[in-house]
């Protein structure tokens, strides 16, 4: 597939924040024939959609341009200085069924209040009656997420994950255990408007979810500004967007922004562990058809996607995907829908690789925007987000100390760079594995030792995968790990660690806490597996809202561009977003820091051969 550059003017006009921006058409989106080399992974390593996934479908576990769009012209000159606010509160993750929390009957004063001495008026001392209050706990063997056994719902991919029957829900803070016993699919729920077109854990959690969304709004200035300024002209009026992303408070702000711009949305989760139940409830209460809850089974996962797509009287015309599972499902089950779909926006390494494979095979029948390789996604979401969230996820699940620990990070793309920087700063000894010599040289220049995984697997305390590839950590590696080694994944998909090979009779699985399992070998050795090999930060913790604001704004503008582009502007190919759009998204977030850009003089602009208002770097520039 050859690399081409589109020559048509983009559909959307961008203007500089706080001042006039060049109204001439910026560089159009350029189709790209292969993913960038910065990921440290081979595109061919990702399974072709419809091949392995048909045999064992598994959810992906590790979320513009120029002029002419009447809608975005209303967004010109956006300016907002969002006040910083605390990140959305993390869910309580204590497990009442853990052995340490069990009630133990015993003598002495441990069972109730201590006896008190009573003195009568005549001086006689007597002992007051002892009152014993026993704390009632649920049966320790009860499982939060265990669903009634229904063979029909267990048919898909049981060899890959037992996520439903083996997992506790760490985000069901506002739901009692009796409610958790019932699958959302078996409940009859309605929101306050009488609608039942949704499937969430508990619609009664909506109030709590709304509070989290309000906190997230304060850290997402660009989306809030876009919502305020562009909703008058409704640039997405008539758009019917079906989405499959992580359902968090940040995603909720994006969905409600798309709704304010005129779009109709239906949404499912791209990860069975990352959904915040109370946020999903808040969206359902607001009228969004949401089908997701934390701790879905594999069958639940595909059922939720199908409920979003297969709706009588509703035909999607835009796709917003994170991981490619939604796109794959439509290609597999409802290929005729692509006749009315105008485009796909994809934000993950895994999903982008799958799009390139479809394009290479001649099966990509609509234009697709590669948001993942835009500068504002790569350098902010992938790098800065993972630099902070890797420590958060490990701390919440293991309570470990990082100083002096030996860690191997597989992959030195932007995600790997962020993880390595954070761990190094905490005093860890960090090794890196990499297939790309350029990324490998960067790791060496940053002071990390480049190794093969086999060379250090016996000595490291933590193994982190960040490649987007498959079988990076195999059963052979797992067998050779030392006792208590922590194994986790920061890539989007759950294919990097061969978890399926651990589900054998000779190994024992022991639940420690939510999203934490001991896998015990016959000789007593055990490893600590986090989130069953799925995306650590969104499965076990949260991610910084401000960084997600940058990615979400890029996604929104990409949707606006594809939806409003004249027929024929974009071919059936994968396109990168233009530099001018990346610069525009960045400019919308600068007021938060009270940052002031330097402006070129006419003489300086002429000397550099640039327009004073950008773009300031060519598309081939490497940040």
């Amino acid at each position: 597939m050859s690399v081409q550059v589109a020559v048509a003017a983009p559909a959307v006009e961008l203007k500089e924040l706080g001042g006039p921006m060049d109204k001439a058409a910026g560089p159009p989106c350029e189709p790209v024939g292969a993913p960038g080399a910065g990921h440290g992974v081979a595109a061919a390593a990702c399974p072709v959609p419809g091949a392995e996934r048909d045999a064992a479908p598994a959810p992906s576990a590790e979320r513009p341009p120029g002029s002419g769009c009447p809608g975005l012209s209303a967004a010109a000159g956006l300016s907002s200085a969002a006040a910083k606010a605390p990140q959305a509160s993390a869910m309580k993750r204590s497990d009442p069924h853990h052995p340490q929390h069990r009630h133990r009957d015993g003598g002495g004063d441990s069972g109730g209040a201590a006896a008190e001495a009573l003195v009568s008026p005549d001086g006689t001392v007597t002992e007051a009656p002892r009152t014993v209050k026993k704390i009632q706990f649920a049966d320790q063997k009860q499982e939060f997420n265990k669903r009634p056994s229904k063979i029909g719902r267990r048919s898909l991919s049981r060899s890959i994950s037992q996520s439903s029957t083996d997992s506790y829900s760490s985000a069901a803070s506002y739901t009692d255990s009796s409610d958790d016993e019932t699958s959302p699919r078996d409940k009859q729920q309605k929101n306050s408007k009488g609608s039942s077109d949704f499937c969430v854990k508990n619609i009664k959690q909506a109030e709590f979810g709304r509070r989290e969304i309000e906190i997230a709004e304060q850290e997402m200035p660009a989306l809030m500004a876009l919502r305020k300024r562009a909703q008058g002209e409704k640039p997405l009026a008539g758009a019917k967007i079906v989405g499959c992303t992580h359902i968090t408070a940040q995603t909720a702000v994006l969905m409600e922004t798309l709704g304010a711009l005129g779009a109709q949305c239906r949404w499912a989760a791209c990860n069975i562990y990352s959904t915040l139940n109370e946020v999903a409830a808040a969206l359902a209460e607001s009228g969004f058809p949401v089908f997701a809850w934390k701790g879905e089974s594999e069958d639940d996962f595909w059922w939720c996607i199908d409920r979003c797509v297969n709706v009588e009287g509703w035909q999607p015309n835009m796709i917003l995907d994170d991981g490619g599972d939604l796109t794959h499902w439509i290609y597999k089950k409802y290929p005729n829908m692509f006749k009315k779909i105008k485009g796909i926006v994809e934000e993950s390494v895994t999903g982008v690789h799958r799009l390139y494979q479809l394009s290479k095979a001649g099966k990509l029948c609509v234009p697709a925007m590669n948001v993942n390789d835009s500068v504002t996604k790569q350098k902010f979401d992938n790098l800065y987000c993972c630099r902070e969230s890797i420590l958060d996820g490990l701390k919440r699940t293991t309570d470990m100390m990082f100083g002096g620990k030996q860690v191997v990070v597989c992959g030195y793309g932007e995600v790997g760079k962020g993880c390595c920087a954070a761990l190094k700063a905490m005093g860890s000894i960090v090794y890196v594995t990499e297939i790309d010599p350029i990324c490998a040289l960067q790791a060496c220049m940053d002071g990390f030792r480049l190794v093969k995984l086999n060379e250090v697997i016996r000595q490291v305390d933590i193994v982190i995968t960040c490649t987007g590839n498959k079988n990076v950590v195999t059963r052979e590696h797992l067998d050779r790990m030392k006792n208590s080694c922590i194994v986790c994944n920061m890539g989007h998909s759950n294919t990097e660690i061969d978890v399926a090979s651990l589900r054998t009779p000779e190994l024992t699985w022991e639940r420690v806490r939510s999203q934490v399992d001991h896998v015990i070998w016959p000789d007593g050795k055990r490893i600590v597996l986090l989130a069953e090999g799925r995306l650590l930060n969104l499965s076990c913790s949260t991610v910084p809202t401000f960084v997600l604001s940058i990615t979400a704004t890029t996604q929104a503008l990409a949707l606006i561009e594809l939806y409003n582009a004249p027929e024929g502007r974009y071919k059936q190919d994968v396109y990168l977003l233009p530099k001018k759009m990346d610069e525009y998204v960045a400019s919308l977030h600068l007021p938060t820091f009270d940052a002031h850009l330097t402006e070129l003089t006419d003489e300086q602009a002429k000397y550099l051969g640039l327009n004073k208002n950008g773009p300031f770097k060519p598309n081939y520039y490497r940040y």
Side-chain angles (χ1 to χ4, degrees), residues 20 70 183 348 431 552:
S183 165
S348 75
Y431 304 96

Side-chain angles (χ1 to χ4, degrees), residues 100 110 154 164 174 182 191 203 237 242 259 287 298-299 312 339 341 366-367 370 396 422 429 469 499 508 555 579 594:
Q100 293 181 357
S110 62
R154 293 282 185 261
S164 175
Y174 311 112
T182 305
N191 62 19
I203 191 63
V242 59
E298 299 290 341
D299 185 50
E312 185 177 354
K339 294 179 180 179
I341 290 176
V366 296
N370 172 4
R396 294 198 200 192
I429 302 166
N469 208 329
V499 176
T508 302
Q555 290 173 311
K579 191 72 61 177
D594 192 25

Side-chain angles (χ1 to χ4, degrees), residues 40-48 51-53 56 160 350 353 357 410 435 453 465-474 477 489 491 493-499:
V41 294
C46 186
V48 178
E52 292 180 357
R53 295 245 171 188
I160 293 181
T350 303
H353 283 174
Q357 289 176 334
C410 302
I435 63 169
L453 188 57
T465 54
C466 310
T467 69
N469 208 329
K470 64 177 293 186
N471 292 335
V472 177
V473 176
T474 64
H477 294 129
N489 169 47
S493 183
N494 65 329
T495 58
E496 302 196 35
I497 303 167
D498 188 9
V499 176

Side-chain angles (χ1 to χ4, degrees), residues 438-459:
I438 297 175
C439 293
L441 183 58
Q442 286 179 317
C444 294
M445 296 294 287
D446 288 336
F448 301 108
R449 183 183 169 193
L450 190 75
V451 299
K452 292 183 177 180
L453 188 57
N454 286 331
E455 297 171 0
V456 296
I457 197 64
R458 290 186 181 276
Q459 68 192 63

Side-chain angles (χ1 to χ4, degrees), residues 555-570:
Q555 290 173 311
L557 295 179
L559 286 167
I560 292 172
E561 170 61 17
L562 278 180
Y563 182 70
N564 290 280
E567 185 176 356
R569 170 169 294 169
Y570 295 106

Side-chain angles (χ1 to χ4, degrees), residues 59-62 160-161 271 273 463 465 469 487-500 502-503 509 515-517 528-536 539-540:
S60 297
E62 210 163 347
I160 293 181
S161 173
N271 184 304
Y273 289 145
V463 178
T465 54
N469 208 329
V487 185
C488 62
N489 169 47
M490 282 290 285
H492 179 88
S493 183
N494 65 329
T495 58
E496 302 196 35
I497 303 167
D498 188 9
V499 176
L502 298 177
R503 299 194 181 279
W509 285 61
Q515 316 300 354
V516 182
D517 289 290
V528 181
L529 180 64
L530 305 183
E532 296 184 6
R534 299 180 186 274
L535 185 59
L536 172 67
S539 296
C540 301

